[in-house]
Amino acid sequence: MSHYLAPSRKGQASDFIQRFDPRFWTVNFPRPMMASVIAPSPDALRVTCEFHHAGELAGLIWASEDRADHPLLAYETQADYAHCVLRFRWRSGGIVPLDQPNGPTLTIEGRDAAGTQRAWYVRLWNYAAGAPDDALITLPFSELQSGYGLPGEPIHPSAIDRMFVSLVPPGYVPGSTDPLPQRADGWAEMRDIVCWGDRAMLSIGDVMVPPHGVGIATAYDDAFDQCPARLVRQIEQLGYRGGQADEVVHYVGMSHFFRLEPGEGAEAGRFLAEADGTLCEPARAWHQSFFAALAEVGLTPILSLSYELFAQHCPAAWQQLAHDGAPARTGWDPPSALLSPANGEAMAWLKAVAAQFVALAEAAGCAVKFQIGEPWWWVQPQTGALCCYDDAARAALDDPVAIPDMRVPLTPEQTDVLDRAGALLAASTAALADHVRAAATGAAEVMLLAFTPTLLDPAMPDLKRAALPVGWAWPAFDRLQLEDYDWLTAGADGARRAAYAQVQQRLGYPSDRQDYLAGFVLNASDAESFWPRIDAALDEAAERGVPRRFVWALPQVARDGFVRLPDHFPEPPEDTDMNAFDDVSYPLALGRDAQVSTEFSTSVAVTASGHERRNALWSDARLRFDVGPGIRGEEELGQLIAFFRARHGPATGFRLRDPFDFSSSGMTGTPAASDQVLGTGDGQTARFQLAKHYGDQRRIVTRPVAGSVSVSVDGVPTAAWSLADRGLIVFDVAPVPGADIRAGFLFDVPVRFAEDRLDVSGVSFAAGEVPSVPLVEIREETS
């Protein structure tokens, strides 16, 4: 299946939105406060806040440049607000009101008439009519003035980068880190939003990609600052819908969804997740809106909850510890902690959280689908120390012997600890699954997600005893979900394939009960190399019989402009695949007079002095053939016509044996496993493309003759490989670093008819004149 990366919108479908459309505002704030923004109607937005410190401030943001949406769906960048007017009804509660010092203020960031960066502060009360908590506000940008009172300093409206409305709690003290006497719950609404004047409408991308059979994943920690309607618009319009793709994996996160309470004792001064698992009101309001928006377009959320919690807000007793007391920490900055499966309070917290999300999904009319996301006993990446030594785990495992390094051979006593820890982990996930099913009023589908690069790390062969326990074997869960993006993006195909086999042997889930998550691209600089691998992995999973596949995750899809296309997009005439290929050979033997031409494409510019500048446009030659001279008699002519019609002329490719060059050994010799260099092993790469070298030039071979291929590693023939599509050699285990990979083979040329018509004259043919039947080589994509 094809894909591409769209850096911008160039001629694709567009529409218009009113400037300041509620769906496209965002919210930002400092930790540990929480806030969210939703669009309850087409002309309204609502912000919900929970404040914990006197100096916390939330900003409700409108940006002149859309950096959150996919490039094909983004609104146009427009920084000129001159002669534009915004009007809305303001309502608020639990925050400093409009008429008070530090009340809602519009901060405008941009450039003055001289182009110097600066900011202006527009007090909204100066432009309001009504009460301090319920007023009609009109903002004529060409007349706005900065300052507490009027008259003030005029703003420059023609170069505004972004603006935001500030929301602060009662008792606000700028810059203060002092805790409030108690949590402050605040909210604000902008209703009846209308904009008029110059540039009151913005062009916006309105691409609608047809359904392509793949689902999407997202996470609240990545999207808490956006309106849910904005996310759902992207999900739907980028084709992540319909059939097997009518579900959205939604990780509820590890840092923003829970309500906080002040710590006690040793935790004094910190805010910890409330022990009863209560959701904070911003998260509750956001998820109500998100689930309802998904249901409205026929999508269902898969609620994903992990054993991971932002370390800053995680009670110390809940955390996994190594044998020396070091806490389990992920590599994120700031890091998250891992919850101990043995700790009753931590597991009760997870169950309470799960039940609340189940209730929210059901209230929106969604079926209950729940993912237990990556539950594991953590291993410290730096030391290899297993983290199953918190007080609760020590008690449950009967004072286990220490395992300071999982990367060295273990004693029987240590592997016994792993087995018991695995059983404990399996019991905790089973209890969470049972709790979800009990919380649902109807049926609930419960899934488990496992990350194979960690659980089946070859450097820690025994880790699976604890982190991929046999207690997870089918049918412990309704579905098993796998992700392997570390190996996928690194090209470690041998490790990926070996892991699939290990998981299947160990857990035994039928292929139709498995899902696959492909991704993700952490850094935009890797987009060009990583997304093709992700796209190919989605197709590979389908070939393995995995019906439900997901892209992880929406933020990277939007950032990099990833577009996945269905098999027939755009729809060719008569339902013909524009890249179709019939894996059949040209049916006639080529005569001695058949013509073969090798061509390059070179631009030659002749200067006024007669000198030439030449530029080779192709890195490899392309072949052309004329097979007409090979036709012998009317019977073969009939075969040619039938073959031409079956291929729809040039619409469908096929194989052709070049009579002068079809072997890896010389041109026509008998192939041997040492003929052609395919590459050098690096310990991770398991896929190598067949190729033939002509001096320094490398020719990709995509149509080898299957039974003719032989492979060697460091000069030793091997059978530990398979032949995939397009001439790809896939080793069972990635060759070791420095290994010399070679192969021998026979091959055909992928070709098509060069023209839409086939001219045959009966009189000329009878007189011995053969028709011209030109063919042209096809450039085939390789993974």
Side-chain angles (χ1 to χ4, degrees), residues 307 318-322 328 338-343 347 374-380 385-394 396-397 400 406 417-428 454-455 460 463-469 472:
Y307 280 44
W318 294 8
Q319 302 181 32
Q320 295 180 25
L321 304 177
L338 280 299
L339 300 179
S340 171
N343 187 284
M347 295 300 100
E374 297 179 346
W376 49 29
W377 291 107
W378 190 251
V379 175
Q380 299 284 12
L386 184 67
C387 295
C388 66
Y389 298 91
D390 57 277
D391 288 345
R394 285 183 180 275
L397 298 175
M406 286 293 305
V417 170
L418 295 178
D419 290 336
R420 287 185 286 133
L424 185 59
L425 176 62
S428 76
T454 295
L455 307 185
M460 298 182 285
L463 179 60
K464 60 180 176 289
R465 292 172 175 266
L468 192 71
W472 286 350

Side-chain angles (χ1 to χ4, degrees), residues 542-556:
E543 293 170 1
R544 297 201 315 267
V546 177
R548 302 197 312 191
R549 292 150 290 136
F550 301 87
V551 177
W552 183 275
L554 183 60
Q556 289 80 36

Side-chain angles (χ1 to χ4, degrees), residues 616-649:
L617 303 179
W618 296 349
S619 61
D620 192 8
R622 183 171 70 167
L623 299 179
R624 289 184 177 271
F625 301 85
D626 189 344
V627 296
I631 300 172
R632 306 171 185 82
E634 293 186 0
E635 181 178 347
E636 290 194 355
L637 180 61
Q639 287 182 269
L640 169 64
I641 293 172
F643 190 77
F644 180 83
R645 294 178 68 91
R647 308 283 86 71
H648 294 85

Side-chain angles (χ1 to χ4, degrees), residues 33 79 97 143 215 237 266 269 306 400 504 506 509 513 523 540 566 660 682 760:
M33 75 162 291
E143 302 172 21
Q237 295 197 209
S306 74
Q504 190 60 36
R506 190 167 180 82
Y509 281 76
R513 292 284 185 163
N523 300 311
E540 178 192 84
F660 307 113
D682 60 9
V760 178

Side-chain angles (χ1 to χ4, degrees), residues 47 60 173 243 252 263 332 380 434 512 564 593 622 650 684 708 737:
V47 183
L60 176 61
V173 178
V252 301
W332 300 110
Q380 299 284 12
D434 290 343
D512 64 350
R564 181 157 169 100
D593 295 329
R622 183 171 70 167
Q684 291 193 356
S708 71

Side-chain angles (χ1 to χ4, degrees), residues 235 416 625 758:
I235 291 170
D416 178 64
F625 301 85
L758 183 62

